[in-house]
């Protein structure tokens, strides 16, 4: 049976970058590098609110649950910012992640040699950088109960709850240790065990897991605030970082800037059966939406991750990463990664360059 792929372009620059990513997939099929795949498209986020009054319509959810992989563009736009929380575009994404059970969010931060000068850090700090953040995605303070805004003593009080059960830490830990085993064999577990009970439990569970199941992996622990500092001080000290939902959200944006542009970063969110949700890490970027200025490489590199993790097509994945490298080496740049004197091309032209090299 053909693999089933669902495209969810979403809002802002999502549709532009997903259009380029889809061309990459279709080119691989035409060239015989990939068996036929069934591709369908659905609505999520603001565009789904406009059409159906909800950010995650039932048929989108049903299609996602039947798909082997989902490729998502981005959700969110300023006109929805004042809606109540349960009507916002972002809720569509959070609900989709949870419904798909994709607990392990893999966010690689690789600084391509052609882009060392685009980073805000000194070139020698980022040259050769290749780290992977494994962020827990469907638990922690993002989903913990109780939550809400209540009235207390005549004022409003905002409440969220950070909680992790052992099984949630273990399954995330296994994904992170396994990733370290495929790389340099080093895992840094990040929490706030000096302040939070959740962090104490997290550290304890990771320590036992490492000792019992991954004695070959070098495990270290770091507080989240220190990890933020170390990421901008000496990022190459890391191989794989494993952390919870909130710290992973913050640290992965910081890591993104090390690479030159958040427009370069793909992500994969996986369950334990290889089904995945693939997203560029950049958001919907409403300021440049519809102007053919967006960088499609994060979406295209998300396809690369999809080929590797959900479609069992590592040869095709290698071709995509080689084509992206060629595009950069030959100095094609969208605005976000252009240096002084570089000529700038648009989203569609950048996508076409990758296709040419493919
Ligand atoms: C991310 C984003 C999301 C998150 C938002 C859009 C809900 O920041 O994927 O990192 O907080 O997880
Ligand atoms: Mg984020």
């Amino acid at each position: 049976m053909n693999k089933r792929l669902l495209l969810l372009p979403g809002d802002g620059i999502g549709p532009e970058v997903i259009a380029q990513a889809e061309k990459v997939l279709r080119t691989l099929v035409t060239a015989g590098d990939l068996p036929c795949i069934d591709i369908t498209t659905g609505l999520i986020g603001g565009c789904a609110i406009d059409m159906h009054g909800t950010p995650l319509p039932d048929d989108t959810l049903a299609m996602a649950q039947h798909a082997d992989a989902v490729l998502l563009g981005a959700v969110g736009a300023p006109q929805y910012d004042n809606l109540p929380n349960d009507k916002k575009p972002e809720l569509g994404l959070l609900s989709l992640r949870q419904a798909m059970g994709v607990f392990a969010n893999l966010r690689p931060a690789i600084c391509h040699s052609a882009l060392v000068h685009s980073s805000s850090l000194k070139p020698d700090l980022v040259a050769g950088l290749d780290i992977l953040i494994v962020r827990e995605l469907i638990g922690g303070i993002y989903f913990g109960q109780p939550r809400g805004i209540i009235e207390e003593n005549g004022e409003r009080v905002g409440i969220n709850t950070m909680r992790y059960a052992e099984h949630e830490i273990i399954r995330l830990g296994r994904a992170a240790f396994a990733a370290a085993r495929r790389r340099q064999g080093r895992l840094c577990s990040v929490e706030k065990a000096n302040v939070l009970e959740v962090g104490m439990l997290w550290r304890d569970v990771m320590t036992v897991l490492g000792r019992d199941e991954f004695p070959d992996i070098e495990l270290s622990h770091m507080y989240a605030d220190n990890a933020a500092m170390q990421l901008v001080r000496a990022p190459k000290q890391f191989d794989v970082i494993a952390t919870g939902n909130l710290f992973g959200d913050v640290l992965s944006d910081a890591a993104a800037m090390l690479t030159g542009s958040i427009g370069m970063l793909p992500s994969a969110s996986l369950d334990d059966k290889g089904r995945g949700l693939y997203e560029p890490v950049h958001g919907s970027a409403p300021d440049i939406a519809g102007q053919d200025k967006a960088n499609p490489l994060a979406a295209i590199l998300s396809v690369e991750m999809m080929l590797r993790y959900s479609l069992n097509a590592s040869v095709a994945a290698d071709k995509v990463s080689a084509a992206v490298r060629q595009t950069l080496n030959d100095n094609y740049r969208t605005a976000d990664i252009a240096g002084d004197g570089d000529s700038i091309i648009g989203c569609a032209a950048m996508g076409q360059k990758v296709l040419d090299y493919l």
Side-chain angles (χ1 to χ4, degrees):
M1 198 161 81
N2 291 349
K3 293 274 189 188
R4 283 167 305 206
L5 168 60
L6 174 64
L7 300 179
L8 298 175
D11 306 320
I13 60 172
E16 303 162 50
V17 297
I18 293 302
Q20 301 310 315
E22 181 178 358
K23 282 189 202 156
V24 167
L25 274 164
R26 294 197 187 275
T27 302
L28 289 168
V29 173
T30 310
D33 289 319
L34 197 63
C36 272
I37 38 179
D38 296 330
I39 301 182
T40 48
T41 301
L43 293 172
I44 193 167
C47 58
I49 295 175
D50 293 344
M51 293 283 287
H52 300 289
T54 163
L56 183 63
D58 290 343
D59 66 328
T60 300
L61 184 59
M63 287 191 289
Q65 275 162 339
H66 277 99
D68 296 293
V70 177
L71 179 64
L72 185 139
V75 296
Q79 67 264 37
Y80 309 104
D81 282 352
N82 295 322
L83 292 175
N85 250 359
D86 61 339
K87 294 262 161 10
K88 283 200 174 131
E90 286 78 0
L91 184 79
L93 176 55
L94 295 174
S95 311
L96 179 66
R97 289 171 176 171
Q98 207 184 27
M100 290 182 70
V102 288
F103 58 85
N105 180 219
L106 276 48
R107 297 191 163 184
I110 296 172
C111 187
H112 289 264
S113 53
L115 294 182
V116 284
H117 294 284
S118 308
S119 172
S120 46
L121 296 198
K122 297 189 191 92
D124 59 309
L125 287 182
V126 295
L129 178 84
D130 179 355
I131 63 181
L132 175 68
I133 296 183
V134 181
R135 165 191 178 194
E136 200 290 326
L137 200 61
I138 58 173
I141 197 166
Y142 270 52
F143 296 94
Q145 294 290 344
R147 66 184 297 163
I149 299 178
I150 60 165
E151 281 287 321
E152 208 176 82
N153 303 325
E155 62 176 353
R156 289 175 305 155
V157 178
I159 299 172
N160 290 94
T161 304
M162 187 184 278
R163 56 173 289 150
Y164 274 115
E166 287 180 291
H167 77 272
E168 295 173 289
I169 305 171
I170 291 172
R171 67 184 181 185
L172 186 279
R174 285 202 177 111
F177 274 111
R181 205 171 251 170
R182 292 190 299 268
R183 298 168 47 98
Q184 295 169 36
R186 291 184 295 118
L187 178 64
C188 180
S189 169
V190 170
E191 26 60 11
K192 280 287 286 182
N194 52 344
V195 181
L196 305 175
E197 284 77 5
V198 186
M200 292 172 202
L201 181 71
W202 182 283
R203 186 174 287 219
D204 187 54
V205 170
M206 291 294 282
T207 303
V208 172
L209 184 64
R211 190 193 60 206
D212 292 352
E213 296 183 25
F214 300 90
D216 53 316
I217 303 301
E218 185 188 316
L219 173 66
S220 60
H221 305 274
M222 202 180 272
Y223 299 139
D225 49 349
N226 186 25
M229 182 173 76
Q230 296 300 332
L231 266 179
V232 291
R233 192 188 72 87
K236 283 189 263 181
Q237 70 184 280
F238 297 107
D239 178 19
V240 179
I241 292 175
T243 190
N245 207 342
L246 181 61
F247 297 143
D249 181 45
V250 175
L251 295 178
S252 62
D253 265 29
M257 263 333 280
L258 306 175
T259 68
S261 168
I262 197 168
M264 291 295 303
L265 293 197
S267 78
S269 306
L270 306 173
D271 69 3
D272 43 16
K273 294 176 217 74
R275 277 171 15 107
L277 169 63
Y278 297 83
E279 309 166 51
V281 172
H282 60 67
S284 53
D287 52 324
I288 57 164
Q291 300 170 37
D292 192 36
K293 286 184 182 163
N295 184 347
L297 295 184
I300 291 172
L301 291 169
S302 298
V303 166
E304 184 213 330
M305 292 190 89
M306 172 192 293
L307 293 166
R308 261 184 231 293
Y309 291 105
S310 292
L311 301 184
N312 232 330
S314 58
V315 174
D318 289 342
K319 288 192 178 174
V320 174
S321 76
V324 168
R325 209 173 320 118
Q326 269 297 310
T327 304
L328 294 172
N329 287 346
D330 289 347
N331 255 335
Y332 294 105
R333 298 283 185 271
T334 43
D336 57 311
I337 49 173
D340 293 340
D342 282 340
S343 55
I344 294 175
I345 60 176
C347 180
M350 193 73 164
Q352 187 55 50
K353 284 296 160 201
V354 176
L355 292 183
D356 294 345
Y357 291 119
L358 260 189

